[in-house]
Amino acid sequence: MAGPLSHIRVLDLSRIMAGPWAGQILADLGADVIKVERPGAGDDTRSWGPPFLKDRDGNETRDAGYFLAVNRGKRSITLDLDKLEGQAVVRALAAQSDIVLENFKVGTLAKFGLDYDSLKAVNDRLIYCSVTGFGQTGPKRDLAAYDFMIQAMGGLMSVTGEPDGKPGGGPEKVGVPIVDIMSGMYAAIAVLGALARRSQTGKGDYVDIAMLDVQVGFLANQAMNYLISGKPPRRTGNAHPNIQPQDVFACRDGHVVLVVGNDGQFGAFCEAIGRPAWIADERFARNGGRVRNIAVLRPLIAEIFATRDMAEWIALLEPAGVPCGPINTVPMALDDPQVKHRGMRVDIPHPVAGSVPQIASPMRFREAGLSFERAPPLLGQHTDEILRELGLDGPADTAIPAGA
């Protein structure tokens, strides 16, 4: 496979979302990612449907869309880690790998002799990354965690949703498993950082990624607002807490998102909508004033937007350099000419379905272009192939590598 990591092998012992997302990022970058799954069942997300992928005859397969979203580019081997034979194969794979990803509960893999210290003994250049809900230390280290739960605990839901007292008011989770995704991204960044360091020192490393740490880490401006003001951030719906006007406005036939990012853009906006007097109005001339007086400014803007259709406003504001856009559905977003031009949808040959649609990686390289040739694997699809590479002929639950 192509890509800047085509010389790297990853042993992916993870399942669900965060760890597999990291593994898919590395696979997209060209790494050979070997996904270890439970015999007969596989990754939990294979069954997290409907919807399920359909085969060439229109019958449902066993693979849900959830699984297909995070396992592109990998090879699947089924191993029973409760058995010595399965553990021996993992150690043999670790000896030939650069990176290990896992998201078992703290201490679980140590019982099987597959923790970092054990695998470091067979490969001291190994970069081993554990992704858990709360990390390897602390009072909650032994607890299980899921994305929804961490969005709540980490403060995200306290700043997401409409304010209390408004229609639909109350805390909301983000519409995608954002903590899982961000944890996977941080894991991928961390192992690549360790890989760069290894090129200088020759030594591997252990990486501890906690989902709660990640969630608190990407509170970003909301956390900093609190730290410097002492005031807890509150839910403001679609309105930005620090920059205005940034909100959703109703048009005659739908809604437009207006994203004025600075005073110059606000001036251009005022000219475009025929309200040049607002530019000199001391309440609105500077962003700080607009934030403080948004209760006055927003109704004025809303009244104006209600007079035209979405397309009319976008056609008026875009040429003026005012950031704005429609609220697209997922099908509309995928049909956007810019999204199509960038090739964000790809179709990959699949042994059962004929082909499987995928959302491509957003990474673009001039010198080491990415390719998407390997579909999310069938359960155990590559077991025999991988065992042969290890010099083994028997099934995974009976084959023990020499010296293991």
Side-chain angles (χ1 to χ4, degrees):
M1 298 179 73
L5 295 184
S6 57
H7 60 300
I8 297 299
R9 171 172 283 182
V10 179
L11 178 56
D12 187 356
L13 304 178
S14 67
R15 62 228 185 274
I16 314 294
M17 186 74 171
W21 189 265
Q24 180 167 273
I25 291 172
L26 300 175
D28 284 344
L29 290 169
D32 177 19
V33 180
I34 297 176
K35 183 178 180 69
V36 174
E37 301 190 70
R38 294 170 296 166
D43 190 313
D44 301 43
T45 60
R46 285 187 184 271
S47 63
W48 283 10
F52 292 93
L53 181 69
K54 290 183 170 58
D55 63 20
R56 292 181 180 88
D57 297 323
N59 301 309
E60 287 188 346
T61 69
R62 65 181 302 170
D63 291 337
Y66 212 113
F67 174 84
L68 299 173
V70 294
N71 288 288
R72 173 180 61 246
K74 304 177 186 180
R75 297 194 287 167
S76 171
I77 180 174
T78 53
L79 296 173
D80 188 343
L81 300 189
D82 288 322
K83 294 184 177 180
L84 293 176
E85 296 83 359
Q87 297 163 18
V89 173
V90 170
R91 280 189 283 273
L93 287 169
Q96 298 181 13
S97 296
D98 299 281
I99 297 166
V100 170
L101 302 172
E102 66 92 6
N103 62 349
F104 284 79
K105 289 184 179 180
V106 173
T108 298
L109 290 183
K111 299 175 184 177
F112 302 140
L114 302 178
D115 57 313
Y116 172 62
D117 289 331
S118 299
L119 296 187
K120 181 182 177 183
V122 300
N123 181 358
D124 63 1
R125 291 173 54 82
L126 195 64
I127 296 161
Y128 190 111
C129 180
S130 297
V131 182
T132 57
F134 301 100
Q136 302 296 305
T137 61
K140 297 183 185 296
R141 65 192 290 266
D142 295 320
L143 300 181
Y146 285 88
D147 176 276
F148 186 12
M149 169 183 165
I150 301 299
Q151 286 194 40
M153 294 180 66
L156 182 61
M157 291 177 63
S158 77
V159 295
T160 305
E162 292 292 344
D164 292 333
K166 281 197 171 184
E172 292 282 346
K173 71 180 181 70
V174 178
V176 294
I178 189 67
V179 183
D180 279 332
I181 292 169
M182 290 294 290
S183 296
M185 292 185 70
Y186 270 108
I189 293 167
V191 298
L192 293 178
L195 195 64
R197 182 177 181 274
R198 191 184 74 176
S199 69
Q200 301 297 314
T201 66
K203 297 179 180 179
D205 206 344
Y206 179 75
V207 178
D208 174 11
I209 298 290
M211 291 171 63
L212 184 59
D213 293 353
V214 169
Q215 172 57 84
V216 172
F218 76 80
L219 285 174
N221 59 301
Q222 295 283 27
M224 189 55 64
N225 289 345
Y226 166 68
L227 291 174
I228 66 173
S229 72
K231 297 178 181 178
R234 58 187 177 86
R235 294 188 304 279
T236 58
N238 292 306
H240 196 287
N242 301 108
I243 311 169
Q244 286 295 339
Q246 290 199 12
D247 209 336
V248 174
F249 293 93
C251 306
R252 286 189 306 205
D253 63 343
H255 293 80
V256 165
V257 168
L258 176 67
V259 189
V260 171
N262 55 54
D263 295 337
Q265 289 177 357
F266 181 70
F269 170 70
C270 294
E271 295 284 358
I273 67 172
R275 296 296 187 276
W278 290 358
I279 301 172
D281 190 319
E282 63 180 14
R283 297 171 299 172
F284 310 142
R286 298 288 180 265
N287 180 69
R290 295 193 295 274
V291 172
R292 294 184 183 96
N293 293 286
I294 193 59
V296 176
L297 179 59
R298 193 192 187 286
L300 298 176
I301 297 174
E303 183 179 3
I304 295 169
F305 267 87
T307 63
R308 300 191 185 193
D309 292 344
M310 290 189 298
E312 291 180 79
W313 281 121
I314 292 170
L316 181 68
L317 295 175
E318 278 188 347
V322 179
C324 62
I327 298 180
N328 286 332
T329 63
V330 172
M332 290 166 66
L334 293 177
D335 199 44
D336 185 283
Q338 180 67 21
V339 174
K340 284 185 170 181
H341 174 81
R342 298 289 289 178
M344 285 304 297
R345 171 182 168 151
V346 294
D347 290 273
I348 304 176
H350 189 276
V352 173
S355 68
V356 59
Q358 292 278 284
I359 303 300
S361 168
M363 294 180 283
R364 301 289 184 271
F365 294 82
R366 178 174 293 183
E367 300 297 336
L370 308 187
S371 65
F372 307 101
E373 302 169 356
R374 182 174 287 154
L378 303 177
L379 179 60
Q381 179 180 346
H382 304 94
T383 297
D384 292 342
E385 172 183 297
I386 294 168
L387 290 177
R388 285 195 300 271
E389 292 172 2
L390 293 173
L392 304 174
D393 296 323
D397 60 352
T398 61
I400 299 181

